Amino acid sequence: MTMMLWSKMPSKWISEGKMREHFGSGNQISDDIAALKIFIVLCFFAKQVNRSNSSSINDVFEAKATYDQLTEMCSLSRALVCRGLKKLEKAEVLKSTGVRSKIYTFEGGAFQGWCKLPKRAIVKNEERIPAMAAFHNRYSHERNALKLFLYILTSRSNSKRYVDLSRGTIAKQTGIPLDEIDGALGFLRSISLVSKVEDRGFLASAIRREHEYRLHRYWVAGSESLNYKTYSVESDDSVLVRYAEIYAAVNGQ
């Protein structure tokens, strides 16, 4: 069986500020958590599809998923799935078509504005995501954790396993208050979505040694697989899986 190492994740909406603008309301925490969880899971289901017509070439990311699949993999009630999907559409992150069998299309094309989302490290047996089950789906630190996780993925490059980010940059780009970043990070580490963090001191350009200029280096779960250029390996060949990881580490891919 072929096992996906990572999935493509549309990230332009995050770098453009939509996550900061649309997912920070004080009275919609549960809806925001549901929406961000659903976004992640739909990325795992998404495939690149050609929707060309006579006047244009348009490859897009599309995902097909039932409510049952979303409730199970996201650890959400059906009501929260419904509200989360509505939030994603309102924020213009995706749109849906169909009635009984829905197709979810991510906004933007398939050739730019995406990053790598670890799959093999997060999804178990192609149907369970233990990290999702750890959420109570009601607390601000949970929403902050999802926003921080998505922003770390958006910010990393393919040349390194890690990404260096200052607290001020995280706060500015995600809308997470400076004094709430540690709570979000602690939760991410407790559910193993972030595997390692290193304190790198202060930005070289820092005028004052204040919290916003503090620099940290972040590794997400499965970071070694994100540098491997190929989507997948054969999961029944443990030697090949391990070779892929070693090859990525040695060659910096």
Side-chain angles (χ1 to χ4, degrees), residues 100-172:
R100 292 185 178 179
S101 179
K102 283 187 176 289
I103 296 175
Y104 301 97
T105 304
F106 293 91
E107 294 292 343
F111 297 111
Q112 59 181 353
W114 60 271
C115 62
K116 293 177 180 177
L117 173 66
K119 183 175 183 181
R120 186 167 67 87
I122 295 176
V123 182
K124 307 304 179 184
N125 301 321
E126 294 294 321
E127 59 185 18
R128 285 194 315 108
I129 305 179
M132 295 289 191
F135 286 73
H136 293 283
N137 302 319
R138 67 172 70 99
Y139 299 118
S140 60
H141 74 270
E142 296 175 327
R143 177 176 62 186
N144 290 341
L146 288 169
K147 292 168 70 175
L148 178 56
F149 177 63
L150 293 176
Y151 184 65
I152 290 173
L153 293 175
T154 297
S155 302
R156 64 169 296 279
S157 70
N158 282 325
S159 62
K160 299 176 181 177
R161 291 188 183 186
Y162 57 82
V163 61
D164 291 339
L165 294 169
S166 71
R167 294 302 179 92
T169 296
I170 291 172
K172 180 180 178 180

Side-chain angles (χ1 to χ4, degrees), residues 37-92:
K37 278 185 161 189
I38 291 167
F39 171 77
I40 291 171
V41 169
L42 287 178
C43 287
F44 290 138
F45 282 108
K47 294 181 179 180
Q48 188 168 322
V49 179
N50 183 267
R51 295 298 181 196
S52 301
N53 55 43
S54 58
S55 60
S56 65
I57 298 176
N58 186 24
D59 276 27
V60 297
F61 286 121
E62 289 185 353
K64 294 181 180 179
T66 66
Y67 262 51
D68 287 342
Q69 287 174 312
L70 293 176
T71 56
E72 180 69 22
M73 294 188 72
C74 297
S75 295
L76 296 170
S77 66
R78 291 180 71 87
L80 271 178
V81 169
C82 180
R83 282 154 41 194
L85 286 169
K86 287 181 179 177
K87 187 68 184 278
L88 288 171
E89 292 200 53
K90 185 176 180 181
E92 298 182 341

Side-chain angles (χ1 to χ4, degrees), residues 164-218:
D164 291 339
L165 294 169
S166 71
R167 294 302 179 92
T169 296
I170 291 172
K172 180 180 178 180
Q173 298 300 322
T174 65
I176 302 172
L178 277 172
D179 60 357
E180 294 181 16
I181 292 175
D182 282 331
L185 184 58
F187 184 67
L188 284 177
R189 298 196 71 178
S190 73
I191 61 176
S192 300
L193 287 183
V194 165
S195 59
K196 184 180 178 182
V197 181
E198 283 186 359
D199 189 340
R200 307 296 292 179
F202 291 88
L203 290 173
S205 59
I207 300 174
R208 299 177 300 277
R209 290 183 171 255
E210 296 180 354
H211 193 44
E212 64 183 297
Y213 300 113
R214 196 89 194 182
L215 186 69
H216 286 80
R217 181 167 290 177
Y218 301 90

